[in-house]
Amino acid sequence: MTRQMTGAEMVIRALKDQGVDHIFGYPGGAVLPIYDEIFQQEDIRHILVRHEQGAGHAAEGYARSTGKVGVLLVTSGPGATNAVTPLADALMDSIPLVCITGQVPTSLIGSDAFQECDTSGITRPCTKHNYLVRSIEDLPRILHEAFYVARSGRPGPVVVDIPKDVQFASGMYHGPSNVSHKTYHPQIKGDLDAVRKAVEMLVSAKKPMLYTGGGVINSGAEACQMLRELVSLTGFPITSTLMGLGAYPASGKEWLGMLGMHGTYEANMAMHECDVMLCVGARFDDRITGRLDAFSPNSKKIHIDIDASSINKIVRVDLPIVGDVGHVLEDMVRIWRASSKKTDKEALATWWEQIKIWRKRDCLAYRPNDDVIMPQYALQRLNEKLKGKDYYVTTEVGQHQMWAAQFLGFEEPHRWMTSGGLGTMGYGFPAALGVQTAHPESLVIDIAGDGSVQMNIQELSTAIQHNLPVKIMILNNEHLGMVRQWQQLLHGNRLSNSYVEAMPDFVKLAEAYGAKGIVCDKPDQLDAAIDEMIAYDGPVIFDCRVAKLANCFPMIPSGRAHNDMLFSDEAEDASKIATAIGDAGKKLV
């Protein structure tokens, strides 16, 4: 399609050509021409948020639950700076976003004009790429290129900063045919010789381990299917990072649970003791590796990742394979099936016997209570209630996030949305709004903490306006729980500003916005409260009041190795834990 258009018209036309159905945004002076075009069309639905950070996280939730590029539209100056947090979040977690920002007219750039800021300079460190459009002739190419960059290779956020005079100017619009980037050409296919060598290493392994991450989900449904076929073919144990939950079903017999700082004992011990590790679409994050010089010390490591810069960045590997994990896994499965070589079944059986011993540790066990709701119990009951339902879960950040990862089982990808790399408090609720926008008939629940949820609670107004029946389940312990836990274990139980006083009445708060409020503080009333939350046709805040001082275990303290975990049965004596952690544990992050 080629015809004369204004810059504002080009933006809307490009979004339509890229298959965009929804955008999240907040208007302002520097984007009014674009908002005027939104008013004059009906193909794209605009979700008006109450804060630009909410727009960014909603776009993230939309992107992660659909596999599409999420789009947000904000004005210049404070509109753009308010979007920085979700942009940084999306970069860390490899989420494809296109953020369109308004800018003052080109003649005023650099003059400290009203609501001017250096958006491209500010967002350069927290985006995959960004553009300042100075000419109407460049606008169509840049808009289509932004979507290409955001979704291809390792996904990420892209900013397109459009001055107001460019939005008013007229030029020729060109459709998205043959879109590319002159220097950015991600490698999709992995080196076949390296894949064959990887298969040989895995076949010869006595104690193999599959370590997977969010890259498998980002690659798409086929990658997840290939991963499942590889596990079925090999019978190897598999674990996942926080971001990779759902790529392999939690009910699978080879599944060991999440690994890392708050992962399962069996997953962490298997990672520590394995002799061949296949890392697929993960990046050896510090919350996964623990103490680097003691990380899986006796294993040969194979790393598959589309981002070459992630390989050998933190952990040196023996066999790097650069490529899209879906394509590489497909080649790996095909080569494995064609190979005449067989795994050492006796060694593999012995390895599984050892894993079963580790499983008997029952590392997620906690002490039940008939008088107070334990947070783990609350999530166990929610998990039972969700079985058989079409549901999506988002989280805020903190103890509740880790408990959700431990106790909620995900059978499919794109059902679990959480802030992993940046750890953004306030992420979960607006992300849930994005998920609900994409899946209006599905059940969407945000697992929240009483601290995190208040960071973007104003988006409850967005939920009401746009009929988004998101459920917020607050595990309310009246503390910044993870901060309090670290203060207890590492700082002599000096709870500096982690007790949240003047807590709102969440039921009244919900009702003030026009939502439903529910409160429960008794274990024998919990099931009925969860049922009421799920059944209500509209937004809900469920204030689930849980034990105030419960800790999240198991746990690898900072500076310790995978085989040196702490468990809930050791939590009774804080001084004992502090001694066990020792000086290395004083490193808070």
Side-chain angles (χ1 to χ4, degrees), residues 40-55:
Q40 300 179 63
Q41 58 83 51
E42 297 180 349
D43 296 325
I44 298 174
R45 183 185 176 196
H46 179 275
I47 306 297
L48 176 64
V49 297
R50 300 304 186 265
H51 190 284
E52 290 88 355
Q53 183 180 351

Side-chain angles (χ1 to χ4, degrees), residues 178-189:
N178 301 317
V179 177
S180 63
H181 188 280
K182 59 184 178 182
T183 59
Y184 175 62
H185 306 288
Q187 183 174 331
I188 303 300
K189 297 290 289 183

Side-chain angles (χ1 to χ4, degrees), residues 535-557:
Y536 184 72
D537 185 19
V540 176
I541 293 181
F542 172 26
D543 183 5
C544 183
R545 298 183 179 177
V546 300
K548 295 182 181 181
L549 299 179
N551 283 328
C552 185
F553 288 102
M555 169 185 173
I556 303 174

Side-chain angles (χ1 to χ4, degrees), residues 330-490:
E330 183 179 13
D331 288 338
M332 187 170 285
V333 167
R334 176 176 51 80
I335 291 170
W336 190 290
R337 283 179 173 150
S339 174
S340 59
K341 297 180 180 178
K342 303 296 181 184
T343 57
D344 186 335
K345 292 184 178 180
E346 184 176 342
L348 189 59
T350 301
W351 179 227
W352 271 111
E353 286 302 315
Q354 175 59 69
I355 291 171
K356 289 177 183 177
I357 293 172
W358 290 326
R359 274 178 167 163
K360 289 179 181 178
R361 181 65 175 80
D362 195 14
C363 66
L364 299 182
Y366 61 94
R367 180 174 294 180
N369 193 309
D370 293 334
D371 299 316
V372 178
I373 299 174
M374 297 302 293
Q376 302 95 322
Y377 178 71
L379 289 167
Q380 282 182 317
R381 296 312 305 152
L382 176 65
N383 192 51
E384 285 299 312
K385 299 289 185 180
L386 292 178
K387 288 181 178 177
K389 289 182 169 58
D390 173 26
Y391 70 93
Y392 296 80
V393 172
T394 69
T395 79
E396 308 294 338
V397 169
Q399 286 179 317
H400 61 275
Q401 176 191 29
M402 295 297 104
W403 281 317
Q406 291 172 341
F407 289 95
L408 299 181
F410 296 93
E411 301 298 305
E412 299 294 334
H414 302 292
R415 300 284 174 156
W416 161 257
M417 274 62 62
T418 194
S419 175
L422 195 63
T424 305
M425 294 175 70
Y427 165 90
F429 181 32
L433 296 178
V435 176
Q436 191 78 80
T437 299
H439 308 279
E441 303 303 320
S442 301
L443 173 63
V444 181
I445 301 176
D446 172 33
I447 307 299
D450 49 273
S452 281
V453 75
Q454 294 187 69
M455 289 201 165
N456 276 312
I457 195 66
Q458 75 283 344
E459 298 304 335
L460 197 54
S461 181
T462 305
I464 295 297
Q465 177 180 342
H466 295 283
N467 299 312
L468 302 171
V470 168
K471 321 302 180 191
I472 307 174
M473 183 174 177
I474 303 173
L475 301 186
N476 185 351
N477 58 14
E478 298 183 4
H479 287 80
L480 304 178
M482 195 63 84
V483 174
R484 195 270 313 148
Q485 177 170 334
W486 282 93
Q487 288 174 335
Q488 177 191 346
L489 301 184
L490 299 176

Side-chain angles (χ1 to χ4, degrees), residues 132-433:
L132 171 59
V133 185
R134 290 183 174 271
S135 168
I136 188 67
E137 286 75 23
D138 294 331
L139 182 57
R141 172 187 60 81
I142 287 174
L143 287 167
H144 297 306
E145 200 174 279
F147 278 84
Y148 167 75
V149 173
R151 71 164 65 96
S152 62
R154 178 181 176 180
V158 177
V159 165
V160 180
D161 195 29
I162 312 176
K164 196 169 183 179
D165 58 321
V166 175
Q167 297 172 43
F168 278 123
S170 294
M172 296 303 294
Y173 173 80
H174 304 279
S177 59
N178 301 317
V179 177
S180 63
H181 188 280
K182 59 184 178 182
T183 59
Y184 175 62
H185 306 288
Q187 183 174 331
I188 303 300
K189 297 290 289 183
D191 179 79
L192 280 177
D193 288 338
V195 177
R196 291 188 185 94
K197 186 174 180 181
V199 170
E200 291 177 3
M201 291 171 66
L202 290 167
V203 167
S204 63
K206 308 294 185 185
K207 298 185 288 184
M209 189 66 185
L210 303 183
Y211 153 43
T212 62
V216 180
I217 295 174
N218 287 341
S219 182
E222 184 178 338
C224 297
Q225 183 57 41
M226 287 296 106
L227 176 66
R228 295 171 187 221
E229 288 193 31
L230 181 64
V231 175
S232 176
L233 199 62
T234 62
F236 290 172
I238 179 171
T239 185
S240 166
T241 66
L242 180 72
M243 302 303 296
L245 297 177
Y248 187 81
S251 61
K253 67 180 188 298
E254 290 88 0
W255 175 245
L256 303 190
M258 182 180 73
L259 82 158
M261 179 172 281
H262 292 287
T264 67
Y265 180 61
E266 53 266 32
N268 284 331
M269 287 301 297
M271 284 285 283
H272 186 78
E273 297 291 340
C274 70
D275 64 350
V276 177
M277 176 196 302
L278 175 63
C279 173
V280 187
R283 57 187 179 87
F284 295 98
D285 176 78
D286 63 293
R287 287 310 195 245
I288 296 302
T289 62
R291 190 176 125 207
L292 268 178
D293 63 359
F295 172 67
S296 193
N298 300 313
S299 68
K300 298 290 185 182
K301 300 173 181 67
I302 307 162
H303 189 184
I304 305 170
D305 205 295
I306 198 165
D307 181 7
S309 70
S310 290
I311 294 178
N312 290 325
K313 181 178 180 179
I314 298 171
V315 171
R316 297 293 301 178
V317 299
D318 299 277
L319 180 60
I321 303 176
V322 178
D324 182 278
V325 296
H327 290 277
V328 176
L329 287 173
E330 183 179 13
D331 288 338
M332 187 170 285
V333 167
R334 176 176 51 80
I335 291 170
W336 190 290
R337 283 179 173 150
S339 174
S340 59
K341 297 180 180 178
K342 303 296 181 184
T343 57
D344 186 335
K345 292 184 178 180
E346 184 176 342
L348 189 59
T350 301
W351 179 227
W352 271 111
E353 286 302 315
Q354 175 59 69
I355 291 171
K356 289 177 183 177
I357 293 172
W358 290 326
R359 274 178 167 163
K360 289 179 181 178
R361 181 65 175 80
D362 195 14
C363 66
L364 299 182
Y366 61 94
R367 180 174 294 180
N369 193 309
D370 293 334
D371 299 316
V372 178
I373 299 174
M374 297 302 293
Q376 302 95 322
Y377 178 71
L379 289 167
Q380 282 182 317
R381 296 312 305 152
L382 176 65
N383 192 51
E384 285 299 312
K385 299 289 185 180
L386 292 178
K387 288 181 178 177
K389 289 182 169 58
D390 173 26
Y391 70 93
Y392 296 80
V393 172
T394 69
T395 79
E396 308 294 338
V397 169
Q399 286 179 317
H400 61 275
Q401 176 191 29
M402 295 297 104
W403 281 317
Q406 291 172 341
F407 289 95
L408 299 181
F410 296 93
E411 301 298 305
E412 299 294 334
H414 302 292
R415 300 284 174 156
W416 161 257
M417 274 62 62
T418 194
S419 175
L422 195 63
T424 305
M425 294 175 70
Y427 165 90
F429 181 32
L433 296 178

